[in-house]
Amino acid sequence: MTPRLRSIDWVGDKVRFIDQTKLPNDLSLIETDDYKVVVEAIKKLKIRGAPAIGIAAGFGIYLGIKNFSGDDKELLKGKFEEVCSEFAKTRPTAVNLFWAIERMKKVFYESSHLGVDELKKRLLEEALAIQSEDIQMCKQIGLHGSKLIPDKANILTHCNTGWLATGDYGTALGVIYTAFEQGKKIKVYVDETRPLLQGARLTTWELMQRGIETILITDNMSAYLMKLGKIDCVIVGADRVTLNGDTANKIGTYNLAIVAKYHNIPFYVACPTSSIDFSIKTGDEIPIEERGGEEIVEIMGRRVAPEGVKTFSPAFDVTPNSLITAIITELGVIYPPFEENIQEIKRKIYAND
Ligand code: MRU
């Protein structure tokens, strides 16, 4: 049986990833052993989605020191830190990136008594562990989350949170896939997700491949659909969840949460615990990435606004905890009060450390 295609994978001694900017028109695979190619791929959203970015950083950091020769560990340390800081500068919001970098650093410094070759081997093992743990976490998220999906469900989702955005399966889309595999009748309304169209290009592509009924809408249609009674629940992913449950996710998520609340529709966030930033209390502390105006004045390379127009392009927004019904993680579903219940999850994770 041919192994299933993943958005990012380790093949031989290289990383292979799908260039997500080319989907759905071209399924283009890039193979590289140059960490700088991975750094650029994250910046340009060829690799995107919080968990996939974390996995890419793990493999990329290993690639950055893989060809280091000699046995001078001070030199190796300098190179390692330089590579880590290049990855840390790629995108600021998804905490999975920093979580993965910290894991790689922990292994590096805990293995510093080892020889260079052994140390490199440990780093590759850690990168592979980040990938395989993410896949397991997504499976668990699917199982926990599918219990919240009724038998006949009309679901609205935003951005892309499927196998393209993760090690495999996905988070919010993983919940949908699991519910569908359980035989539930599912219809998914997909926000196009301007400016970069992750919904229109990627989520529809994934869902239709699975044979799930998929309806593409523009981002400004959700309130009307809810008023018509067409939506039973909303499920989105997360780039960073704080200790009180505030959640950064793709720009437009906050609007969706407000309209869902107004219409009394459950609003679920699905994410692995690697997306929870246990070091900050509220969403006000989350750094929000701002991207170039060209992504707004153009749609897929075609200019749609007059030359010289001013733009503002935050890539994410923060949904306050009061608008979130529950957060679905691999360790179970977290309900309000989030302040208390996220502390409980933190205790579970650190007890296993
Ligand atoms: O800018 P992107 O495409 O990386 O943003 C992705 C999102 O906002 C996703 O919803 C989030 O990373 C979760 S992916 C499982």
Side-chain angles (χ1 to χ4, degrees), residues 47-65:
I47 300 169
R48 49 145 301 281
I53 293 171
I55 295 166
F59 288 139
I61 290 168
Y62 169 69
L63 287 178
I65 52 98

PDB file of all heavy atoms in Angstrom, residues 47-65:
ATOM      1  N   ILE A  47       3.912  26.316   3.545  1.00  0.00           N
ATOM      2  CA  ILE A  47       3.564  25.464   4.687  1.00  0.00           C
ATOM      3  C   ILE A  47       2.801  26.386   5.630  1.00  0.00           C
ATOM      4  O   ILE A  47       3.280  27.470   5.963  1.00  0.00           O
ATOM      5  CB  ILE A  47       4.820  24.952   5.416  1.00  0.00           C
ATOM      6  CG1 ILE A  47       5.706  24.138   4.473  1.00  0.00           C
ATOM      7  CG2 ILE A  47       4.435  24.133   6.660  1.00  0.00           C
ATOM      8  CD1 ILE A  47       7.088  23.820   5.050  1.00  0.00           C
ATOM      9  N   ARG A  48       1.600  25.956   6.046  1.00  0.00           N
ATOM     10  CA  ARG A  48       0.806  26.841   6.894  1.00  0.00           C
ATOM     11  C   ARG A  48      -0.100  25.990   7.788  1.00  0.00           C
ATOM     12  O   ARG A  48      -0.226  24.791   7.594  1.00  0.00           O
ATOM     13  CB  ARG A  48      -0.009  27.814   6.049  1.00  0.00           C
ATOM     14  CG  ARG A  48      -0.762  27.116   4.928  1.00  0.00           C
ATOM     15  CD  ARG A  48      -2.076  27.700   4.612  1.00  0.00           C
ATOM     16  NE  ARG A  48      -2.974  27.685   5.751  1.00  0.00           N
ATOM     17  CZ  ARG A  48      -3.657  26.606   6.160  1.00  0.00           C
ATOM     18  NH1 ARG A  48      -3.549  25.440   5.571  1.00  0.00           N
ATOM     19  NH2 ARG A  48      -4.466  26.696   7.197  1.00  0.00           N
ATOM     20  N   GLY A  49      -0.757  26.682   8.743  1.00  0.00           N
ATOM     21  CA  GLY A  49      -1.549  25.957   9.726  1.00  0.00           C
ATOM     22  C   GLY A  49      -0.651  25.719  10.930  1.00  0.00           C
ATOM     23  O   GLY A  49       0.493  25.242  10.771  1.00  0.00           O
ATOM     24  N   ALA A  50      -1.149  26.077  12.121  1.00  0.00           N
ATOM     25  CA  ALA A  50      -0.278  26.088  13.300  1.00  0.00           C
ATOM     26  C   ALA A  50       0.484  24.768  13.529  1.00  0.00           C
ATOM     27  O   ALA A  50       1.719  24.788  13.678  1.00  0.00           O
ATOM     28  CB  ALA A  50      -1.107  26.478  14.525  1.00  0.00           C
ATOM     29  N   PRO A  51      -0.199  23.618  13.556  1.00  0.00           N
ATOM     30  CA  PRO A  51       0.566  22.387  13.827  1.00  0.00           C
ATOM     31  C   PRO A  51       1.592  22.073  12.740  1.00  0.00           C
ATOM     32  O   PRO A  51       2.717  21.652  13.047  1.00  0.00           O
ATOM     33  CB  PRO A  51      -0.522  21.301  13.895  1.00  0.00           C
ATOM     34  CG  PRO A  51      -1.770  22.058  14.280  1.00  0.00           C
ATOM     35  CD  PRO A  51      -1.659  23.360  13.546  1.00  0.00           C
ATOM     36  N   ALA A  52       1.235  22.314  11.467  1.00  0.00           N
ATOM     37  CA  ALA A  52       2.180  22.020  10.367  1.00  0.00           C
ATOM     38  C   ALA A  52       3.406  22.925  10.464  1.00  0.00           C
ATOM     39  O   ALA A  52       4.534  22.506  10.157  1.00  0.00           O
ATOM     40  CB  ALA A  52       1.492  22.191   9.014  1.00  0.00           C
ATOM     41  N   ILE A  53       3.210  24.154  10.905  1.00  0.00           N
ATOM     42  CA  ILE A  53       4.348  25.072  11.059  1.00  0.00           C
ATOM     43  C   ILE A  53       5.298  24.541  12.141  1.00  0.00           C
ATOM     44  O   ILE A  53       6.522  24.571  11.987  1.00  0.00           O
ATOM     45  CB  ILE A  53       3.850  26.500  11.409  1.00  0.00           C
ATOM     46  CG1 ILE A  53       3.075  27.100  10.229  1.00  0.00           C
ATOM     47  CG2 ILE A  53       5.019  27.416  11.790  1.00  0.00           C
ATOM     48  CD1 ILE A  53       2.359  28.410  10.554  1.00  0.00           C
ATOM     49  N   GLY A  54       4.724  24.031  13.229  1.00  0.00           N
ATOM     50  CA  GLY A  54       5.550  23.454  14.305  1.00  0.00           C
ATOM     51  C   GLY A  54       6.355  22.262  13.799  1.00  0.00           C
ATOM     52  O   GLY A  54       7.558  22.137  14.080  1.00  0.00           O
ATOM     53  N   ILE A  55       5.701  21.407  13.029  1.00  0.00           N
ATOM     54  CA  ILE A  55       6.395  20.216  12.492  1.00  0.00           C
ATOM     55  C   ILE A  55       7.528  20.661  11.559  1.00  0.00           C
ATOM     56  O   ILE A  55       8.648  20.143  11.619  1.00  0.00           O
ATOM     57  CB  ILE A  55       5.383  19.301  11.749  1.00  0.00           C
ATOM     58  CG1 ILE A  55       4.361  18.735  12.741  1.00  0.00           C
ATOM     59  CG2 ILE A  55       6.101  18.183  10.992  1.00  0.00           C
ATOM     60  CD1 ILE A  55       3.129  18.108  12.094  1.00  0.00           C
ATOM     61  N   ALA A  56       7.219  21.655  10.722  1.00  0.00           N
ATOM     62  CA  ALA A  56       8.227  22.161   9.774  1.00  0.00           C
ATOM     63  C   ALA A  56       9.434  22.716  10.529  1.00  0.00           C
ATOM     64  O   ALA A  56      10.588  22.519  10.113  1.00  0.00           O
ATOM     65  CB  ALA A  56       7.607  23.241   8.893  1.00  0.00           C
ATOM     66  N   ALA A  57       9.185  23.409  11.631  1.00  0.00           N
ATOM     67  CA  ALA A  57      10.306  23.972  12.394  1.00  0.00           C
ATOM     68  C   ALA A  57      11.173  22.842  12.957  1.00  0.00           C
ATOM     69  O   ALA A  57      12.411  22.931  12.936  1.00  0.00           O
ATOM     70  CB  ALA A  57       9.785  24.860  13.514  1.00  0.00           C
ATOM     71  N   GLY A  58      10.557  21.776  13.442  1.00  0.00           N
ATOM     72  CA  GLY A  58      11.317  20.635  13.973  1.00  0.00           C
ATOM     73  C   GLY A  58      12.247  20.066  12.911  1.00  0.00           C
ATOM     74  O   GLY A  58      13.469  19.967  13.116  1.00  0.00           O
ATOM     75  N   PHE A  59      11.682  19.738  11.749  1.00  0.00           N
ATOM     76  CA  PHE A  59      12.512  19.178  10.670  1.00  0.00           C
ATOM     77  C   PHE A  59      13.544  20.206  10.194  1.00  0.00           C
ATOM     78  O   PHE A  59      14.699  19.877   9.930  1.00  0.00           O
ATOM     79  CB  PHE A  59      11.647  18.742   9.479  1.00  0.00           C
ATOM     80  CG  PHE A  59      10.826  17.502   9.753  1.00  0.00           C
ATOM     81  CD1 PHE A  59       9.503  17.404   9.319  1.00  0.00           C
ATOM     82  CD2 PHE A  59      11.367  16.423  10.426  1.00  0.00           C
ATOM     83  CE1 PHE A  59       8.751  16.268   9.563  1.00  0.00           C
ATOM     84  CE2 PHE A  59      10.616  15.269  10.670  1.00  0.00           C
ATOM     85  CZ  PHE A  59       9.303  15.200  10.233  1.00  0.00           C
ATOM     86  N   GLY A  60      13.098  21.460  10.085  1.00  0.00           N
ATOM     87  CA  GLY A  60      13.971  22.519   9.571  1.00  0.00           C
ATOM     88  C   GLY A  60      15.171  22.748  10.479  1.00  0.00           C
ATOM     89  O   GLY A  60      16.290  22.953   9.995  1.00  0.00           O
ATOM     90  N   ILE A  61      14.953  22.716  11.775  1.00  0.00           N
ATOM     91  CA  ILE A  61      16.071  22.940  12.711  1.00  0.00           C
ATOM     92  C   ILE A  61      17.090  21.801  12.581  1.00  0.00           C
ATOM     93  O   ILE A  61      18.299  22.021  12.560  1.00  0.00           O
ATOM     94  CB  ILE A  61      15.546  23.089  14.153  1.00  0.00           C
ATOM     95  CG1 ILE A  61      14.792  24.420  14.285  1.00  0.00           C
ATOM     96  CG2 ILE A  61      16.695  23.026  15.174  1.00  0.00           C
ATOM     97  CD1 ILE A  61      13.980  24.584  15.559  1.00  0.00           C
ATOM     98  N   TYR A  62      16.571  20.592  12.435  1.00  0.00           N
ATOM     99  CA  TYR A  62      17.502  19.472  12.230  1.00  0.00           C
ATOM    100  C   TYR A  62      18.304  19.685  10.942  1.00  0.00           C
ATOM    101  O   TYR A  62      19.538  19.533  10.924  1.00  0.00           O
ATOM    102  CB  TYR A  62      16.748  18.134  12.196  1.00  0.00           C
ATOM    103  CG  TYR A  62      17.640  17.012  11.719  1.00  0.00           C
ATOM    104  CD1 TYR A  62      18.686  16.563  12.517  1.00  0.00           C
ATOM    105  CD2 TYR A  62      17.465  16.450  10.449  1.00  0.00           C
ATOM    106  CE1 TYR A  62      19.550  15.559  12.057  1.00  0.00           C
ATOM    107  CE2 TYR A  62      18.314  15.457   9.981  1.00  0.00           C
ATOM    108  CZ  TYR A  62      19.356  15.015  10.795  1.00  0.00           C
ATOM    109  OH  TYR A  62      20.206  14.046  10.339  1.00  0.00           O
ATOM    110  N   LEU A  63      17.602  20.072   9.860  1.00  0.00           N
ATOM    111  CA  LEU A  63      18.308  20.298   8.585  1.00  0.00           C
ATOM    112  C   LEU A  63      19.390  21.366   8.729  1.00  0.00           C
ATOM    113  O   LEU A  63      20.448  21.281   8.105  1.00  0.00           O
ATOM    114  CB  LEU A  63      17.318  20.732   7.484  1.00  0.00           C
ATOM    115  CG  LEU A  63      16.386  19.653   6.930  1.00  0.00           C
ATOM    116  CD1 LEU A  63      15.439  20.266   5.897  1.00  0.00           C
ATOM    117  CD2 LEU A  63      17.179  18.502   6.299  1.00  0.00           C
ATOM    118  N   GLY A  64      19.108  22.360   9.567  1.00  0.00           N
ATOM    119  CA  GLY A  64      20.040  23.472   9.751  1.00  0.00           C
ATOM    120  C   GLY A  64      21.371  23.054  10.350  1.00  0.00           C
ATOM    121  O   GLY A  64      22.385  23.745  10.156  1.00  0.00           O
ATOM    122  N   ILE A  65      21.384  21.942  11.089  1.00  0.00           N
ATOM    123  CA  ILE A  65      22.667  21.524  11.684  1.00  0.00           C
ATOM    124  C   ILE A  65      23.148  20.162  11.143  1.00  0.00           C
ATOM    125  O   ILE A  65      24.225  19.696  11.498  1.00  0.00           O
ATOM    126  CB  ILE A  65      22.591  21.459  13.233  1.00  0.00           C
ATOM    127  CG1 ILE A  65      21.413  20.624  13.725  1.00  0.00           C
ATOM    128  CG2 ILE A  65      22.519  22.862  13.833  1.00  0.00           C
ATOM    129  CD1 ILE A  65      21.800  19.256  14.081  1.00  0.00           C
TER     130      ILE A  65
END
